[in-house]
Amino acid sequence: MQILRYKQDRWAIVLVLTLVAIQLATFFYIDNLYIVAVIALLLIAPQGSASAVNHNHQHLPIFKAHLPNRALELGLFLNTGVGPWGWVLHHTIGHHMHYLDAKKDTCSWKRKDGSVMGPVEYTVINTLKIYPEIFKVGKGHPKIFKKFLLGFAICLAMLVTLIILAPLKALILFIIPIVIQLFLLVYATVDHHRGLDTQNEFAATRNDESTFNNWYAWNLGYHTAHHVKCGLHWSKLPAFHEEIKNKIPAELIQTRKILETQPLDFNADGKKA
């Protein structure tokens, strides 16, 4: 009996389970806080990849069954800061349904006066708004919100237990990394849509075709394809990207060659510097 929707997700599960195993082994068996801090620092990069796994998982759950999905989400919470149903409310509903209208988008790139936020401003404001936006969107989707609240309560209880057992180790291994990952995640989206004020879904998103980025971020570089079919499994995004590539303005597609010489660098008006 197949328990995974797609076999390609086996490595995503390995990543999450490995991160959790390292965290818990460090928490329970290592008392030297300097070593704990070094391990926490080394986990930051793979945790960033786990954030992309969490994103994909909450669009299309990895497992076919309910309980394995919820268990995986507990591990994802410890590494990314967002647990069960959180991104469904904030991202799938709040962002995907409104990304063509920055005023309604839960991750908006516009100021109140309609001008474009700078990268730092965008990152700080939208990171601080993650949970307020989840609660705001949740009020309009009570069934999903109830599931989120239950999952969030379990996640918080788990985190509080770790804090009670060893406050400093919990701070170093879990709390600080969670805050870092939330900021890094939002920063990674700075130029997905910023400055692209259009109703054309094929011209509202920048894309990155580089091999490394799509390996690390589980094909999220094919971002137009993801928005056109947000329920499409990440492994199918490259092929779909090729299907619709002729509809995407060339300047919104960054290739590996371009990235090697001209890193993604957009100014406050959303134009490439």
Side-chain angles (χ1 to χ4, degrees), residues 40-106:
L41 185 63
L42 292 174
L43 292 181
I44 288 177
Q47 285 173 331
S49 186
S51 288
V53 170
N54 198 10
H55 163 273
N56 291 341
H57 168 70
Q58 294 203 33
H59 272 291
L60 183 64
I62 288 176
F63 295 99
K64 292 183 176 181
H66 171 78
L67 288 179
N69 283 322
R70 304 295 82 82
L72 180 68
E73 288 158 5
L74 295 180
L76 284 166
F77 172 80
L78 291 177
N79 284 280
T80 71
V82 180
W85 304 99
W87 285 138
V88 174
L89 291 169
H90 182 285
H91 182 77
T92 307
I93 297 174
H95 173 62
H96 275 265
M97 291 180 66
H98 302 293
Y99 77 103
L100 297 178
D101 185 351
K103 292 182 179 179
K104 296 180 180 179
D105 191 351
T106 49

Side-chain angles (χ1 to χ4, degrees), residues 245-263:
K245 191 172 181 177
N246 64 333
K247 298 180 181 180
I248 305 171
E251 64 270 18
L252 299 183
I253 301 176
Q254 302 293 320
T255 65
R256 182 176 183 180
K257 183 177 180 180
I258 291 174
L259 284 170
E260 288 174 351
T261 56
Q262 299 178 357

Side-chain angles (χ1 to χ4, degrees), residues 33 40 45 76 86 115 149 155 200 265:
L33 294 181
L76 284 166
S115 59
L149 288 176
C155 289
N200 179 359
D265 184 13

Side-chain angles (χ1 to χ4, degrees), residues 138-168:
K139 292 179 181 178
H141 299 81
K143 290 184 179 180
I144 299 176
F145 190 48
K146 185 180 293 186
K147 295 176 182 179
F148 161 75
L149 288 176
L150 176 59
F152 191 49
I154 294 172
C155 289
L156 287 181
M158 182 171 58
L159 191 56
V160 168
T161 299
L162 293 169
I163 293 171
I164 292 172
L165 290 174
L168 286 178

Side-chain angles (χ1 to χ4, degrees), residues 194-195 206 265-273:
R194 195 167 58 93
R206 297 184 180 89
D265 184 13
F266 296 90
N267 59 31
D269 295 324
K271 299 178 182 178
K272 190 156 75 74

Side-chain angles (χ1 to χ4, degrees), residues 21 42 86 111 124 126 178 196 215 230 241 251 267:
L42 292 174
R111 302 186 182 101
V124 172
N126 283 300
I178 280 174
L196 300 178
W215 170 79
C230 68
H241 171 77
E251 64 270 18
N267 59 31

